[in-house]
Amino acid sequence: DTAVSQTPKYLVTQMGNDKSIKCEQNLGHDTMYWYKQDSKKFLKIMFSYNNKELIINETVPNRFSPKSPDKAHLNLHINSLELGDSAVYFCASSRGLDGYTFGSGTRLTVV
Amino acid sequence: GDSVTQMEGPVTLSEEAFLTINCTYTATGYPSLFWYVQYPGEGLQLLLKATKADDKGSNKGFEATYRKETTSFHLEKGSVQVSDSAVYFCALSPRPSFSSGSARQLTFGSGTQLTVLP
């Protein structure tokens, strides 16, 4: 059973398109996150939701919008995709002082 | 703000060599400290953690000790294997606050690529 699952694993799309990445966790965690990993492997937090409420919203373009329909899901919608959005996007979840559990990532390529 | 500094890679070792990856941090209070590992094409996996000063985290032969006096959390392994080849990330998270609830931002170091040769 996959603990944190993301779909799709790979996403290739043209500039200007709108796309979504889905994330689901079956761990019963109350907090979920989106991280962006650039080509140099640097990881930066984008958003965090706790019990469906937005807690952390770092400085990202407003073309990025997270949506959490329930505690187990946190989706990422991206409008008007740009070349610079190409990266690997990781979903993660946590509870208490435990470490995060990460999904396997979505490699987004904008052409 | 909080920050994590890791030794820059890449690091290349022969099998059975001793590994040290340095990590120092800047944070207020008493953060929790973590090491994550990312194998090629995969997500990050928690390798070990320590939540208070002098704690030693260990897993799969890897160890790291939370040193508050030197604000460090260096990763060590006595004898590396080819299968240890991966990118290693040091990270910290602050103590939960009332306003953040259980949401804790993990701040990562820049990652260190380790390659172990047979």
Side-chain angles (χ1 to χ4, degrees):
Chain A
D1 289 340
T2 303
V4 179
S5 60
Q6 294 179 230
T7 55
K9 189 172 177 65
Y10 299 98
L11 183 55
V12 181
T13 186
Q14 291 186 328
M15 284 174 52
N17 284 351
D18 303 336
K19 292 294 179 183
S20 295
I21 306 172
K22 296 185 177 181
C23 178
E24 175 181 5
Q25 55 97 2
N26 61 4
L27 298 168
H29 289 171
D30 54 4
T31 307
M32 297 184 71
Y33 311 80
W34 277 108
Y35 274 78
K36 179 180 180 180
Q37 186 175 46
D38 63 23
S39 59
K40 295 183 178 179
K41 301 288 188 182
F42 185 73
L43 281 153
K44 185 172 172 57
I45 191 167
M46 301 174 70
F47 303 102
S48 172
Y49 268 74
N50 179 255
N51 287 321
K52 294 174 30 178
E53 181 181 351
L54 181 65
I55 298 298
I56 297 172
N57 184 4
E58 292 298 304
T59 305
V60 300
N62 57 14
R63 299 182 294 102
F64 290 79
S65 56
K67 287 185 170 58
S68 182
D70 55 57
K71 281 175 52 175
H73 296 83
L74 180 62
N75 303 322
L76 183 65
H77 301 274
I78 315 171
N79 296 323
S80 302
L81 278 155
E82 300 177 358
L83 292 176
D85 297 332
S86 296
V88 181
Y89 293 85
F90 286 101
C91 178
S93 68
S94 72
R95 179 172 58 193
L97 293 179
D98 294 339
Y100 288 13
T101 300
F102 281 85
S104 57
T106 296
R107 182 174 294 278
L108 171 65
T109 303
V110 182
V111 298
Chain B
D2 297 344
S3 67
V4 176
T5 303
Q6 276 181 248
M7 65 182 284
E8 291 193 15
V11 174
T12 303
L13 297 173
S14 298
E15 209 165 21
E16 300 183 1
F18 184 86
L19 168 71
T20 299
I21 301 178
N22 289 338
C23 171
T24 57
Y25 67 90
T26 302
T28 55
Y30 297 88
S32 295
L33 302 174
F34 305 86
W35 276 99
Y36 283 84
V37 58
Q38 185 177 26
Y39 298 102
E42 298 184 12
L44 281 76
Q45 301 174 26
L46 178 63
L47 182 59
L48 53 85
K49 68 177 183 181
T51 58
K52 62 182 187 296
D54 300 325
D55 267 2
K56 177 185 283 188
S58 61
N59 185 26
K60 299 180 181 179
F62 291 90
E63 293 183 340
T65 301
Y66 190 145
R67 302 284 188 201
K68 184 148 183 71
E69 63 277 12
T70 54
T71 61
S72 64
F73 193 55
H74 305 321
L75 182 69
E76 296 181 338
K77 185 173 185 181
S79 176
V80 293
Q81 306 301 312
V82 172
S83 58
D84 293 327
S85 298
V87 180
Y88 292 81
F89 292 90
C90 185
L92 71 81
S93 71
R95 290 292 176 192
S97 67
F98 176 78
S99 60
S100 69
S102 64
R104 297 168 296 111
Q105 177 177 336
L106 265 183
T107 298
F108 286 91
S110 55
T112 302
Q113 173 74 56
L114 170 66
T115 301
V116 181
L117 303 175

